[in-house]
Amino acid sequence: MKNNKKKVFILKKGEKFMKYLKQAVIESKAIYGHMIRIILTTIALIINANQIIWITNAFSDPNNSTHWVNLLIGGIVINFCIDAYIERNASITNHYTFRRLSEIFFQKINSLDYDAFVSISPASIITSSSNIWKVSKIPMMTVGFIRNIIQVIITIGAITILSKKIVIPVVIIYLIMAFVGFKLFRVWGEIDKKIDNNNHKRAAEIDMCVSGFQEMRAFCTQDFHWKRFSDIFDSGGSLIIKRSTINLLITGVFQISDGLVTVGMVLYLLNCINNHSIVASSATAVIVLVWRLIEPLISIIDFMDQSSELTAPIPKIEKVLDYQNSVINGKIHLDKFNNSIEFQNVSFQYNESDNVIDDISFKIEKGQYIGICGRSGGGKSTLIKLIPRFYDATKGKILIDGIDIKDYDINSIREKIGIVSQDMYIFDGTILDNVKYGSEHASILDVTKACEKAAIFDFIQSLDKKFDTEVGSRGIKLSGGQKQRLALARVFLKNPDIILLDEATAALDNESESIIQKSLDLFKNKTIIAIAHRLSTIKDSDIIYVVDEHKIVESGSHEELVEKKGVYFNLLR
């Protein structure tokens, strides 16, 4: 009973994915190509089966042999044209399906909210993207499966025309063979899922080695990761051996059965020839047609093999495609930030954990410079992630200009916000590409001014290729401070109404930090919210909010908080 439930669940999962595959096939218009292939294939198979009968008739009726030979030549020409068209059509339709399915997947990734990239590992998303090519072959493979079914039916029909008595035992024997093959295929499918999981582990291990290369070398853990990688390959190798053993069993069953069927047919047909119930040419044609049954039957089993391999990645791809964003987009467009940002009794928790932010209320007026500080783990970074709606508050409201941010179009909010965090992502490309990221139409003059404000222009000018210097993957060719200033230049160029700084100057030396602070002062009428451990960064803020134990425990100017001699005063010490 348990196994039956599991089968039903797997079928339902497959059905869920098929809606995306169906959408890709229809929208790419590949469906018309597949339909044409099925029609032309049927015509070709009918001609093919008849060619054997025409050859038999030519030998049986020499007086009309010219007629049969002409039919044979015509059939060869037509089949050549059909095969050439089908070969080209298959590649094109498969490419169209692959492209559309890739577009659906990519559009989904781009629409995922912040929490999705916490729930789904990057390695899983990357391997799923790579496996799109596999699953896009399913429609083409299905057409091939239909072709083989049609070939079996047409071949059995041709055998029936030549010898009705031999059809029933042949069909029964091949049905038994197909049943045995199907049973073995089910085991095959389970192994393919394990192989796919093994591939995912291997990709995740490589991703860790690439992303964490610095830590690996610092802690001398190369041998540790090599052992893990080797163990993954060993387990994958045993699965592949198991899979090849089943393949050998299936091939052996079919070859032995086919041999026995052939021997049985030869003995039976020899008896029929001796009894003059069939001529030798027709008997030969029957054997040829029966032999031609084995090819499509093996292809049907091969389809089951390949389909198990192609469908194995589906659960991981579905996890991405079926992910439901917790942050729902609003409809009001925020044309301009005019007045204030207000937190009203805001609480937030990740999943079922304790509150990371607990009943926080405060108001930020337009043009204010707000500092937020506190001990690590108090919820400071989470607090400012709620403003651009990377997450939504679990309780309470956040208002922008008096309207709940949940009612705004998300992109219209984010267009007004510039974010610089401690771990800003630097893209593989040039310095110019990174500074202009999100502001691709900016002039070189504007780029230069942004870099001057971020105190990185002099460094860029010292490079041989200046703005055209390649920074490498994740900015590997830059120091931590240079990455931070490059990220700041990106925000200066965007020139947003609201600036969120999450430890934005943490990687800078005191001199660079001082320059950045002066640059931030140049933003007139901009609202700046800065989180800092280094309190010198925020001491000139209009208001400083001190977060402790997930609540705001103090607020005021630097001087006022020092006088209180509370949490802020202790942080200074």
Side-chain angles (χ1 to χ4, degrees), residues 337-340 364-370 497-498 523-528 542:
F337 172 57
N338 294 309
N339 300 310
S340 64
I364 304 167
E365 298 293 343
K366 181 180 178 180
Q368 281 189 319
Y369 191 149
I370 301 299
D497 293 331
I498 303 164
F523 277 115
K524 293 180 180 179
N525 300 319
K526 302 295 181 185
T527 305
I528 301 174
D542 297 319

Side-chain angles (χ1 to χ4, degrees), residues 113-171:
D113 60 23
Y114 197 93
D115 191 51
F117 296 96
V118 178
S119 304
I120 308 170
S121 71
S124 181
I125 293 173
I126 291 167
T127 52
S128 295
S129 175
S130 301
N131 285 326
I132 292 290
W133 172 246
K134 276 187 180 180
V135 298
S136 67
K137 290 182 180 179
I138 292 173
M140 187 175 70
M141 294 294 299
T142 304
V143 171
F145 175 75
I146 294 169
R147 174 198 180 280
N148 289 315
I149 294 292
I150 293 170
Q151 184 175 347
V152 168
I153 293 168
I154 291 171
T155 304
I156 289 172
I159 294 170
T160 305
I161 292 170
L162 294 170
S163 177
K164 294 178 183 177
K165 291 181 180 179
I166 207 167
V167 168
I168 294 174
V170 166
V171 170

Side-chain angles (χ1 to χ4, degrees), residues 41-57:
T41 295
T42 304
I43 294 169
L45 289 171
I46 291 170
I47 292 172
N48 213 268
N50 274 291
Q51 283 176 325
I52 295 171
I53 296 174
W54 295 336
I55 293 169
T56 303
N57 290 342

Side-chain angles (χ1 to χ4, degrees), residues 19 76 112-113 118 139 156 165 195 259 289 345 393 414 469 484-485 536 569:
K19 72 180 179 185
I76 290 169
L112 292 175
D113 60 23
V118 178
I156 289 172
K165 291 181 180 179
I195 290 173
L289 285 167
N345 306 110
R414 293 174 183 171
T469 301
Q484 209 70 35
R485 282 179 281 177
S536 58
F569 180 78

Side-chain angles (χ1 to χ4, degrees), residues 223-236:
D223 290 342
F224 168 75
H225 285 279
W226 168 249
K227 186 179 184 306
R228 281 169 43 129
F229 190 74
S230 182
D231 289 343
I232 291 168
F233 253 107
D234 288 343
S235 60

Side-chain angles (χ1 to χ4, degrees), residues 1-10 186:
M1 191 69 184
K2 230 177 188 180
N3 288 337
N4 288 335
K5 285 183 180 178
K6 188 178 178 184
K7 284 179 210 168
V8 171
F9 174 73
I10 291 168
R186 281 168 56 187

Side-chain angles (χ1 to χ4, degrees), residues 183-464:
K183 286 289 185 184
L184 291 171
F185 151 73
R186 281 168 56 187
V187 180
W188 218 338
E190 291 301 316
I191 294 171
D192 276 328
K193 285 184 187 128
K194 291 176 182 177
I195 290 173
D196 184 67
N197 285 331
N198 186 269
N199 291 338
H200 168 68
K201 288 178 183 176
R202 189 173 71 248
E205 190 65 30
I206 292 171
D207 181 61
M208 277 193 288
C209 290
V210 173
S211 301
F213 77 95
Q214 182 173 301
E215 286 74 13
M216 279 177 60
R217 282 145 186 81
F219 287 91
C220 303
T221 55
Q222 291 96 324
D223 290 342
F224 168 75
H225 285 279
W226 168 249
K227 186 179 184 306
R228 281 169 43 129
F229 190 74
S230 182
D231 289 343
I232 291 168
F233 253 107
D234 288 343
S235 60
S238 63
L239 288 169
I240 289 169
I241 291 169
K242 191 173 181 181
R243 192 178 187 279
S244 64
T245 303
I246 294 172
N247 180 39
L248 183 64
L249 283 171
I250 292 173
T251 305
V253 166
F254 270 80
Q255 286 182 344
I256 292 168
S257 301
D258 187 45
L260 292 173
V261 168
T262 302
V263 171
M265 278 196 310
V266 169
L267 294 173
Y268 172 76
L269 289 169
L270 281 172
N271 185 55
C272 290
I273 291 168
N274 290 331
N275 294 332
H276 304 290
S277 58
I278 191 171
V279 295
S281 57
S282 295
T284 304
V286 168
I287 291 174
V288 171
L289 285 167
V290 171
W291 277 350
R292 294 185 65 175
L293 265 181
I294 194 69
E295 181 190 343
L297 284 171
I298 289 175
S299 295
I300 289 168
I301 298 299
D302 189 49
F303 167 78
M304 294 173 178
D305 161 34
Q306 291 190 48
S307 65
S308 72
E309 186 180 346
L310 297 181
T311 55
I314 283 178
K316 288 186 177 66
I317 297 173
E318 275 182 344
K319 190 174 182 181
V320 177
L321 291 175
D322 288 338
Y323 184 87
Q324 297 298 314
N325 287 336
S326 57
V327 177
I328 308 302
N329 203 6
K331 295 182 179 179
I332 299 173
H333 190 274
L334 179 62
D335 294 317
K336 190 176 181 182
F337 172 57
N338 294 309
N339 300 310
S340 64
I341 301 169
E342 185 176 0
F343 281 65
Q344 293 182 348
N345 306 110
V346 171
S347 296
F348 177 78
Q349 59 181 187
Y350 295 99
N351 300 322
E352 300 300 320
S353 64
D354 294 333
N355 283 346
V356 179
I357 297 170
D358 190 11
D359 196 28
I360 283 180
S361 298
F362 65 97
K363 190 172 184 178
I364 304 167
E365 298 293 343
K366 181 180 178 180
Q368 281 189 319
Y369 191 149
I370 301 299
I372 300 174
C373 65
R375 297 184 180 91
S376 296
K380 303 183 301 298
S381 294
T382 302
L383 190 69
I384 64 170
K385 283 175 182 173
L386 298 178
I387 298 173
R389 295 195 69 198
F390 290 159
Y391 296 101
D392 274 339
T394 310
K395 292 180 182 177
K397 289 182 180 181
I398 301 172
L399 308 178
I400 293 181
D401 292 344
I403 298 174
D404 192 330
I405 62 170
K406 291 182 181 179
D407 295 329
Y408 282 117
D409 173 75
I410 292 173
N411 285 337
S412 73
I413 296 174
R414 293 174 183 171
E415 284 168 0
K416 310 299 181 294
I417 297 173
I419 303 172
V420 182
S421 64
Q422 192 173 357
D423 57 349
M424 284 295 287
Y425 191 88
I426 301 299
F427 294 89
D428 190 5
T430 66
I431 288 175
L432 185 63
D433 292 335
N434 274 279
V435 177
K436 289 180 70 173
Y437 186 76
S439 307
E440 61 271 15
H441 300 300
S443 67
I444 192 65
L445 180 61
D446 290 334
V447 171
T448 300
K449 286 180 179 177
C451 291
E452 286 174 344
K453 289 178 181 179
I456 196 174
F457 182 70
D458 290 341
F459 163 73
I460 294 170
Q461 290 301 103
S462 70
L463 300 170
D464 291 338

